[in-house]
Amino acid sequence: MENAIEIKGLNKTYKAQGKAPAKVALSDVDLEIPKGSIFGLLGPNGAGKSTIINIMSGTVFKTSGSVKIWGNDIDKDIRTAKTAIGIVPQEINQDWFFTPKETLDLQAGYYGVPKKERRTMDILRMVQLEDKADAYTRMLSGGMRRRLMIAKAMVHNPPILVLDEPTAGVDIELRRQLWDNVRALNKQGVTIVLTTHYLEEAEELCDKIAIINHGKIITSADKEDLLGQLENKEIRFRLDRTIDTIPAALERAGAQKEGRRTIMVRYSPSEQTVGEFIEAIQADGYGISDISTDESDLEDVFLQLTSSAS
């Protein structure tokens, strides 16, 4: 088994209610999430991310298609499938009068984990809450409560952890602490599925990314391959002397002067190469003293793909 999660032809249509018409939330979704990966599921609000998670968790029934979690088909063995996955929802849901230790013991009981097999203190240590084991949950900071949510999802030792907007509304320092927790879990062999609106977060953490829009998967690829899909890039050439005229080949590509000695070109890697620009500059008798590029980031790719699919 190479994939932690396999989704094929998944559809979900919510029935009409009152005057509201039926709504298609998912349309022929195919996803393969490899074991041991940190997989990002990105998309605008209402794109279908939460519907996929809710179907995997068993809280929403699919219209058609198949979902396998750790090799278990949710139609044939939902109980085993659900024990292979831990889900951390976006909303913090805690009993404020329980301690973290009591919270994890209670959650483990829900999953039928025998007392002698519970790893309460190990899990609290893993999320850096060992020293707060006996404090009331209501006394924890927002970041500690987030980490406790992750701990709750790990009590039954699932091989897959789904994080739904885990850093929504938290500050930068806390966000990076949570990133460290995610990386540590992944190094222990846990497959991570991450939904997030913070594209910086996905770019920092994920090695594979799928983008969903209007209930359809637009693309699913390795992060580096996805970044390589960007059609428009910028490159700047600083020349060895003042520019009299822009070389004709660069001018046809829409090059612009920036200051006395710099030329900036926006180009499509699928149509033009940097080597062609260099040859054109040297053919006009200029030397190149420096070359700099603006690296494409996930936000550029995301905006390009979602706007073209709208």
Side-chain angles (χ1 to χ4, degrees):
M1 185 179 64
E2 296 181 358
N3 295 317
I5 296 172
E6 291 185 355
I7 297 174
K8 294 182 180 180
L10 184 61
N11 293 280
K12 174 60 183 178
T13 299
Y14 290 100
K15 295 179 179 180
Q17 292 186 346
K19 295 182 179 179
K23 179 182 178 182
V24 177
L26 298 175
S27 179
D28 291 325
V29 168
D30 292 333
L31 275 181
E32 291 185 349
I33 300 176
K35 291 173 62 177
S37 65
I38 302 181
F39 190 97
L41 182 59
L42 312 182
N45 286 331
K49 304 185 301 295
S50 294
T51 302
I52 292 174
I53 291 173
N54 291 336
I55 288 172
M56 290 193 297
S57 68
T59 57
V60 167
F61 294 107
K62 60 186 173 62
T63 303
S64 63
S66 67
V67 178
K68 289 184 179 180
I69 301 174
W70 212 249
N72 303 293
D73 192 314
I74 63 171
D75 289 331
K76 298 176 181 177
D77 193 352
I78 184 63
R79 186 181 183 90
T80 304
K82 288 174 71 172
T83 59
I85 194 168
I87 295 180
V88 182
Q90 181 177 344
E91 299 81 13
I92 293 177
N93 180 18
Q94 304 284 5
D95 190 318
W96 307 122
F97 295 95
F98 281 11
T99 67
K101 184 178 179 181
E102 292 168 339
T103 297
L104 296 198
D105 280 337
L106 184 63
Q107 188 76 0
Y110 289 150
Y111 278 96
V113 181
K115 287 186 178 181
K116 63 180 180 180
E117 296 179 14
R118 294 178 188 175
R119 303 178 302 117
T120 298
M121 293 309 298
D122 288 340
I123 296 172
L124 289 175
R125 192 177 301 113
M126 180 177 62
V127 296
Q128 302 172 9
L129 287 176
E130 184 181 15
D131 60 335
K132 300 294 183 180
D134 297 314
Y136 285 119
T137 300
R138 68 177 183 274
M139 304 301 293
L140 301 181
S141 68
M144 292 176 181
R145 293 172 185 174
R146 289 278 181 190
R147 298 205 298 273
L148 183 56
M149 292 291 290
I150 294 175
K152 280 180 65 177
M154 295 300 297
V155 295
H156 58 298
N157 199 30
I160 304 168
L161 185 65
V162 177
L163 304 171
D164 189 8
E165 301 285 349
T167 59
V170 303
D171 60 40
I172 295 175
E173 182 178 356
L174 173 56
R175 188 179 304 163
R176 294 195 174 273
Q177 289 176 4
L178 290 170
W179 290 1
D180 289 340
N181 284 136
V182 169
R183 289 192 185 98
L185 287 167
N186 184 246
K187 285 181 179 179
Q188 294 175 25
V190 179
T191 301
I192 307 292
V193 181
L194 172 72
T195 75
T196 180
H197 281 102
Y198 298 110
L199 299 182
E200 175 198 3
E201 182 167 73
E203 189 166 356
E204 178 76 21
L205 291 175
C206 300
D207 42 46
K208 293 182 178 294
I209 290 171
I211 296 178
I212 186 171
N213 196 22
H214 301 303
K216 296 182 178 181
I217 297 295
I218 301 172
T219 187
S220 181
D222 290 346
K223 178 179 66 180
E224 296 305 322
D225 291 341
L226 198 57
L227 292 173
Q229 292 181 18
L230 192 67
E231 280 300 308
N232 297 308
K233 293 189 176 182
E234 287 186 3
I235 188 166
R236 287 173 173 80
F237 300 95
R238 182 171 175 76
L239 307 189
D240 60 348
R241 56 188 171 85
T242 300
I243 302 167
D244 296 323
T245 58
I246 297 175
L250 274 72
E251 191 170 25
R252 287 194 298 271
Q256 299 174 0
K257 287 176 61 175
E258 292 186 347
R260 293 183 304 162
R261 293 173 51 191
T262 301
I263 297 176
M264 186 276 289
V265 188
R266 291 189 180 91
Y267 71 103
S268 169
S270 62
E271 299 175 357
Q272 298 157 306
T273 67
V274 175
E276 292 172 358
F277 298 144
I278 293 174
E279 289 177 3
I281 291 170
Q282 293 175 336
D284 271 27
Y286 292 101
I288 299 172
S289 58
D290 186 44
I291 298 176
S292 62
T293 61
D294 283 345
E295 292 293 330
S296 58
D297 60 22
L298 193 57
E299 182 174 359
D300 296 323
V301 179
F302 180 84
L303 291 173
Q304 180 175 294
L305 292 175
T306 53
S307 60
S308 63
S310 297

